[in-house]
């Protein structure tokens, strides 16, 4: 069963007389226990999409349309009471900047205990302490950091604290927005391993939002590729990142330097830059940069279509390679 | 490499160190104490750079890469040791002729938006740089030089880019302009500190190729600082691996990347990112957190996290020794 289903979700920011179409008609399903990576470059709308799902966008300056069904219940229609009920308990988030999410004036143990207390007012001090301790253990945090303030912790520890915080109320959906981006590869790999283990233990489904395809490759079963607010391609990670069928994904994968890259061949890039979201192209959003684009691409929008192997892509010429 | 050695190095670091004094709060079980401690950010680094050579410097954050970069371009003074440009101490060079020195060693930073005055157009910034260094005889001539460089690097139409302000450019475009600004001066050495870390994957290649091509064309030597070994291997002739302010291994880029010897290099490379989920990777796990240069362990700095650690490693630190054409600091890797 899909734990989260997005149906035709669009987000438009209205700022200084302009309409910024940050997310355009996105539909996707996140199946239970199938961690999903949403990859996209900066400005592709990753944070916008998640903030919309979490209902954290400013409703005065932002239009959100479509449906976001959490176990069948539309988040966009929830009352504020219902919303605060499900935050942390059903759906938790870890941001990139852990330090901003934590209170600077409280020790981390105290801060996390407080979150638990708010949702479980009847809990005793002992219960809170043991739950926090248990959660810290899950993410390999030593007990001694209970008494520390956020600024006294290293980046890796802070991120572990954020993850512990998101797990404390046993959510079924965990959303991570660039949560490991600021960390060194060694620490990042360690945390990803821990998260994968946790997921299995606790039956959590994770959405991993990142610009880094390698994070998705090593930690997600499914991947969805976002470009300029539109979905380009989605499917099983081992298919999409190995044999991408959408020209944009193909370009991304080719730009990623690997040890297999012949060091005497020039590295590849995708020429051009992101379109103006206030003035989107009439056809495919990738057409101005696409090596395969032909007339139809500039005039009509390609729909997301099914392809063999449980894959989807939005391209009139999906399949084949970029070099044809 | 043998023919590189015959020429005089363009840049030499002789036992270069940089220590910072830090006020530190220590939390112990029985209360909190404050004390002043010393962070050994860069600790006895030596290497030569041949003219036109590109040296990659890699390591986890906090290992001293940026500090080393700032010491080389003399944005900071060393606490010990010397940096030499073509055999001359940079302290003397900068005292004699600050501007002339700056022209010869240029630095490119991670965030290009920090290095441009937001009130100046690209034209004003770049023409201004040329004028400051007395290159070109008239504004018209300088404009032409800038136009030519922009065009050649694919910032087309160059006339259009000249009129723009930094905030009207993408990070990738401004970083390219930042590199061109440095290279307009035909420096002897270019230090690039994580020049692509902030940029999207799909445009990184443009920056890497630009540094590589212009450095090669001008015969400029470069120090390419990065935490990403795949990119570094691509651009660099040699790679130095740093850990806690020290070089632990230094050798030809392919040797380091494909056949690392030092346990830390091995671990770093085994952890390097791949986008192929099918790849079976033997990731070497490291115990604990990346340490701080304030409490450097006795003996081998890496011992507390090293998967190959032996009791003797905690007692005495090994010297960098030459093995199979590279320098490496640890015997565990060999025996
Ligand atoms: N409050 C806002 N007002 C107007 N535009 C915004 C606002 N927040 C984000 N945007 C724009 O929406 C687009 C998507 O941004 P974001 O969701 O942050 O992308 P990502 O997280 O993928 O980098 C960008 O072009 C950004 O400039
Ligand atoms: N100006 C400074 N004052 C005090 N400590 C510093 C200063 N600059 C760097 N450091 C410390 O020196 C160490 C090396 O830092 P840095 O050179 O920035 O490493 P890297 O670039 O490899 O991440 C770090 O522990 C850092 O905190
Ligand atoms: S629809 Fe056309 S422009 Fe868009 S990705 Fe496919 S080929 Fe390229
Ligand atoms: Mg974002
Ligand atoms: Mg740095």
């Amino acid at each position: 069963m899909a734990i989260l289903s997005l149906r035709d979700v669009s987000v438009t920011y209205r700022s200084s007389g302009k309409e910024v179409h940050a997310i355009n008609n996105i539909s996707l399903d996140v199946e239970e226990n199938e961690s999903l990576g949403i990859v996209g470059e900066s400005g592709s709308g990753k944070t916008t999409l998640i903030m919309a799902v979490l209902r954290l966008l400013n409703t005065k300056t932002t239009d959100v349309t479509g449906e976001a069904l959490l176990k069948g219940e539309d988040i966009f229609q929830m009352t504020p009471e219902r919303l605060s009920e499900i935050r942390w308990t059903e759906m938790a988030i870890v941001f990139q900047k852990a330090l901003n999410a934590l209170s600077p004036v409280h020790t981390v143990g105290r801060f996390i205990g407080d979150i638990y207390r708010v949702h479980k007012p009847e809990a005793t001090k002992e219960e809170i302490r043991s739950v926090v301790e248990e959660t810290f253990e899950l993410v390999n945090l030593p007990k001694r950091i209970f008494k520390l303030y956020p600024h006294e912790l290293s980046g890796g520890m802070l991120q572990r604290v954020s993850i512990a915080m998101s797990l404390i109320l046993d959510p079924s959906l965990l959303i991570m927005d660039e949560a490991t981006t600021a960390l060194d590869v060694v620490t990042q790999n360690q945390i990803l391993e821990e998260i994968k283990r946790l997921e299995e233990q606790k039956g959590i489904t994770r959405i991993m939002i990142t610009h880094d395809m390698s994070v998705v490759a090593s930690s997600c079963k499914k991947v969805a590729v976002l470009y300029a607010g539109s979905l380009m391609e989605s499917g099983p990670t081992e298919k999409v990142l190995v044999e991408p069928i959408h020209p944009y994904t193909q370009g991304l994968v080719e730009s990623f330097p690997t040890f297999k890259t012949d060091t005497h061949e020039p590295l590849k890039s995708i020429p051009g830059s992101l379109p103006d979201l206030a003035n989107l192209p009439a056809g495919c959003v990738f057409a101005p940069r696409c090596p395969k684009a032909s007339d139809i691409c500039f005039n009509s929008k390609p729909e997301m279509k099914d392809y063999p192997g449980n894959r989807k892509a939005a391209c009139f010429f999906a399949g084949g390679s970029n070099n044809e | 490499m043998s023919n590189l050695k015959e020429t005089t190095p363009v840049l030499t670091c002789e036992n270069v160190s940089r220590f910072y004094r830090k006020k530190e709060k220590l939390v112990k079980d029985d209360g909190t104490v404050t004390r002043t401690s010393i962070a050994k950010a860069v600790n006895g680094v030596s290497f030569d750079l041949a003219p036109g050579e590109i040296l990659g410097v890699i390591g986890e954050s906090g290992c001293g890469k940026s500090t080393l970069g700032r010491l080389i371009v003399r944005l900071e003074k060393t606490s010990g040791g010397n940096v030499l440009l073509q055999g001359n101490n940079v302290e003397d060079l900068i005292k004699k002729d600050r501007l002339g020195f700056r022209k010869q060693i240029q630095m490119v930073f991670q965030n290009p938006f920090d290095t441009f005055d937001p009130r100046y157009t690209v034209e004003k910034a770049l023409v201004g740089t040329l004028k400051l260094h007395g290159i070109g005889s008239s504004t018209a001539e300088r404009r032409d030089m800038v136009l030519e460089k922009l065009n050649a690097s694919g910032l087309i139409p160059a006339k259009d880019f000249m009129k723009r302000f930094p905030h009207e450019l993408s990070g990738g475009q401004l970083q390219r302009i930042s590199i061109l600004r440095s290279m307009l001066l035909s420096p002897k050495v270019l230090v690039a500190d994580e020049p692509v870390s902030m940029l999207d994957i799909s445009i990184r290649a443009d920056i890497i190729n630009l540094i590589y091509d212009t450095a090669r064309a001008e015969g400029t030597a470069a120090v390419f600082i990065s935490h990403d070994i795949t990119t570094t291997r691509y651009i660099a002739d040699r790679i130095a691996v740093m850990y806690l302010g020290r070089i632990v291994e230094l050798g030809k880029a392919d040797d380091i990347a494909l056949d690392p010897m030092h346990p830390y290099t091995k671990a770093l490379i085994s952890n390097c990112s791949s986008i192929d989920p099918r790849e079976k990777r033997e990731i070497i796990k490291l115990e604990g957190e990346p340490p701080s240069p304030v409490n450097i362990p006795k003996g081998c700095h890496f011992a507390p996290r090293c998967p190959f650690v032996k009791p003797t490693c905690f007692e005495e630190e090994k010297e960098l020794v030459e093995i199979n054409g590279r320098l490496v600091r640890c015997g565990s890797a060999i025996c």
Side-chain angles (χ1 to χ4, degrees):
Chain A
M1 188 195 98
I3 183 161
L4 181 72
S5 287
L6 304 185
R7 293 279 168 267
D8 210 24
V9 172
S10 296
V11 181
T12 305
Y13 293 109
R14 281 175 277 110
S15 73
S16 49
K18 276 203 297 191
E19 293 198 339
V20 178
H21 302 284
I23 290 293
N24 299 290
N25 309 98
I26 287 191
S27 297
L28 64 87
D29 290 321
V30 186
E31 303 292 335
E32 204 163 352
N33 295 322
E34 285 197 346
S35 50
L36 170 76
I38 302 184
V39 287
E41 299 186 280
S42 54
S44 61
K46 303 180 295 296
T47 300
T48 302
L49 182 62
I50 282 329
M51 297 297 267
V53 169
L54 295 166
R55 291 258 306 260
L56 290 173
L57 292 171
N58 181 339
T59 51
K60 291 208 181 85
T61 58
T62 320
D63 292 329
V64 178
T65 58
E67 294 176 351
L69 307 173
L70 180 69
K71 296 182 178 165
E73 188 183 356
D74 190 356
I75 298 171
F76 297 162
Q77 304 301 331
M78 285 179 185
T79 60
E81 295 74 37
R82 178 71 185 131
L83 203 57
S84 51
E85 226 170 79
I86 62 147
R87 267 188 203 150
W88 302 108
T89 58
E90 283 290 340
M91 183 168 73
I93 171 115
V94 181
F95 289 107
Q96 173 175 4
K97 297 212 172 88
L99 205 54
N100 299 353
L102 298 167
S103 160
V105 297
H106 290 118
T107 61
V108 295
R110 166 85 191 275
F111 187 68
I112 293 183
D114 281 351
I115 292 176
Y116 192 77
R117 198 179 349 247
V118 168
H119 282 86
K120 310 230 164 155
E122 74 286 359
T124 62
K125 259 195 179 145
E126 289 68 41
E127 183 187 336
I128 294 174
R129 179 152 187 104
S130 83
V131 171
V132 176
E133 272 182 20
E134 202 180 291
T135 319
F136 272 29
E137 224 175 272
L138 284 174
V139 291
N140 281 339
L141 282 171
K143 264 192 207 158
R144 66 177 174 83
I145 76 153
F146 256 68
K147 289 187 237 155
L148 299 190
Y149 291 88
H151 71 267
E152 294 171 312
L153 301 176
S154 71
M157 285 205 176
L158 273 173
Q159 220 40 320
R160 286 192 169 90
V161 170
S162 293
I163 294 168
M165 182 168 102
S166 69
L167 295 174
I168 192 119
L169 289 155
D170 257 326
S172 35
L173 185 66
L174 175 65
I175 300 176
M176 310 187 90
D177 186 0
E178 302 278 13
T180 58
T181 298
L183 306 173
D184 282 306
V185 279
V186 177
T187 315
Q188 176 170 303
N189 283 335
Q190 266 164 12
I191 292 187
L192 290 178
E193 284 305 313
E194 284 159 20
I195 292 171
K196 281 194 282 184
R197 184 174 41 78
L198 273 171
E199 257 166 24
E200 273 174 31
Q201 273 175 16
K202 306 195 103 194
I204 299 174
T205 307
R206 170 172 44 100
I207 303 182
M208 195 84 174
I209 298 167
T210 177
H211 71 282
D212 188 346
M213 289 178 290
S214 71
V215 167
V216 174
S218 65
S219 78
C220 299
K221 291 198 179 115
K222 294 275 190 67
V223 58
V225 182
L226 199 59
Y227 177 76
S230 296
L231 269 188
M232 301 285 106
E233 175 167 5
S234 67
T237 309
E238 81 271 7
K239 292 275 172 34
V240 175
L241 295 186
V242 176
E243 294 164 339
I245 53 176
H246 191 287
Y248 174 64
T249 323
Q250 289 171 341
L252 267 188
V253 167
E254 283 181 1
S255 324
F256 198 95
T258 67
F259 271 158
K260 286 182 215 132
T261 312
D262 182 345
T263 49
H264 303 289
E265 286 244 327
L267 282 174
K268 289 194 178 136
S269 63
I270 305 179
S273 50
L274 215 62
D276 179 2
L277 297 177
N279 196 0
L280 284 173
C284 170
V285 283
F286 187 53
R289 300 173 75 184
C290 180
K292 280 189 181 175
S294 71
D295 288 349
I296 182 175
C297 310
F298 291 95
N299 299 317
S300 351
K301 286 214 185 299
E303 299 276 316
M304 204 73 171
K305 279 209 234 106
D306 288 322
Y307 288 86
N310 209 1
R311 313 177 62 167
K312 289 181 161 69
C315 169
F316 296 113
F317 304 102
S321 85
N322 244 351
N323 308 321
E324 279 167 18
Chain B
M1 218 166 76
S2 59
N3 56 346
L4 289 182
K5 266 193 179 151
E6 287 159 24
T7 47
T8 340
V10 62
L11 180 81
T12 308
C13 284
E14 282 178 353
N15 214 9
V16 166
S17 298
R18 181 72 172 101
F19 298 167
Y20 297 107
R21 240 169 229 295
K22 275 192 169 171
K23 272 224 163 36
E24 201 196 11
K25 200 168 124 197
L26 294 172
V27 181
K28 295 207 173 137
D29 291 337
D30 53 349
T32 303
V33 244
T34 310
R35 68 154 194 215
T36 307
S37 50
I38 292 187
K40 299 181 176 177
V42 173
N43 195 357
V45 165
S46 301
F47 64 85
D48 280 340
L49 192 64
E53 187 189 16
I54 302 180
L55 175 74
V57 177
I58 62 168
E60 286 167 290
S61 60
C63 72
K65 305 181 296 296
S66 296
T67 305
L68 179 63
R70 290 194 303 270
L71 294 173
I72 293 172
V73 303
R74 183 45 182 81
L75 286 176
E76 273 177 55
K77 278 190 190 177
T78 61
S79 315
N82 298 307
V83 180
L84 311 178
L85 181 66
Q86 294 181 310
N88 302 305
N89 197 317
V90 297
E91 289 304 329
D92 301 333
L93 293 174
I94 203 160
K95 247 175 244 149
K96 258 184 246 152
D97 177 7
R98 174 173 288 266
L99 208 55
F101 171 73
R102 295 269 177 248
K103 181 167 174 283
Q104 296 187 71
I105 301 198
Q106 282 283 307
M107 185 150 178
V108 170
F109 295 89
Q110 182 173 352
N111 186 350
F113 291 97
D114 289 345
T115 63
F116 282 86
D117 188 325
R119 298 164 305 166
Y120 291 175
T121 60
V122 169
E123 171 168 354
K124 190 156 182 197
L126 268 58
V127 169
T129 301
L130 286 174
K131 188 165 180 214
L132 179 69
H133 289 281
I135 300 170
S137 52
S138 66
T139 305
E141 192 186 332
R142 291 179 193 118
R143 274 199 71 220
D144 286 344
M145 294 170 75
V146 172
L147 269 174
E148 196 196 309
K149 279 273 188 212
L150 293 183
N151 265 322
S153 84
L155 291 160
I156 297 169
K159 280 210 169 76
D160 178 38
F161 279 100
M162 298 269 274
K163 289 196 214 93
R164 297 209 207 162
F165 289 92
H167 68 89
E168 294 172 316
L169 295 160
S170 70
Q173 289 165 341
L174 195 60
Q175 190 62 297
R176 277 200 267 172
I177 290 168
S178 160
I179 291 159
L180 293 177
R181 178 175 61 179
S182 288
M183 293 306 294
L184 273 170
L185 304 176
S186 307
K188 301 240 159 48
V189 178
L190 178 74
V191 176
D193 187 2
E194 308 254 15
V196 298
S197 308
M198 267 190 42
L199 306 175
D200 281 324
I201 286 275
S202 76
I203 53 161
R204 282 185 190 177
D206 291 340
I207 309 292
I208 303 290
N209 292 334
L210 180 66
I211 295 176
Y212 187 85
D213 294 342
T214 54
R216 286 289 195 250
E218 299 272 344
T220 300
V223 177
F224 184 86
I225 296 170
S226 170
H227 61 271
D228 175 30
I229 180 142
T230 35
T231 314
T232 308
R233 172 191 171 216
Y234 176 81
I235 192 172
D237 300 306
R238 286 189 299 157
I239 292 177
V241 184
M242 284 184 74
Y243 189 79
L244 276 185
R246 287 232 195 268
I247 289 179
V248 295
E249 188 163 1
L250 172 66
K252 284 192 200 123
D254 271 354
D255 288 355
I256 301 285
L258 303 176
D259 179 28
M261 282 171 85
H262 191 281
Y264 176 66
T265 318
K266 282 182 197 265
L268 198 62
I269 286 172
S270 79
N271 273 281
C272 95
S273 41
S274 153
I275 54 168
D276 190 342
R278 300 167 309 181
E279 220 166 84
K280 277 276 158 280
R281 294 191 296 157
E282 292 287 326
I283 290 182
I284 300 176
K285 295 214 168 89
L286 293 183
E287 295 297 318
E289 294 279 314
S292 115
V294 174
N295 294 307
I296 293 185
K298 185 172 170 275
C300 169
H301 297 357
F302 186 53
R305 297 171 82 198
C306 180
F308 307 95
V309 68
K310 285 177 265 181
T312 50
C313 303
F314 291 101
E315 279 148 35
E316 137 178 68
E317 192 192 13
K318 305 206 171 61
E319 294 295 314
L320 268 178
V321 290
E322 189 169 341
I323 298 165
N324 301 339
R326 81 177 86 180
L327 293 171
V328 59
R329 202 179 269 282
C330 176
S332 293
I334 325 152
C335 54

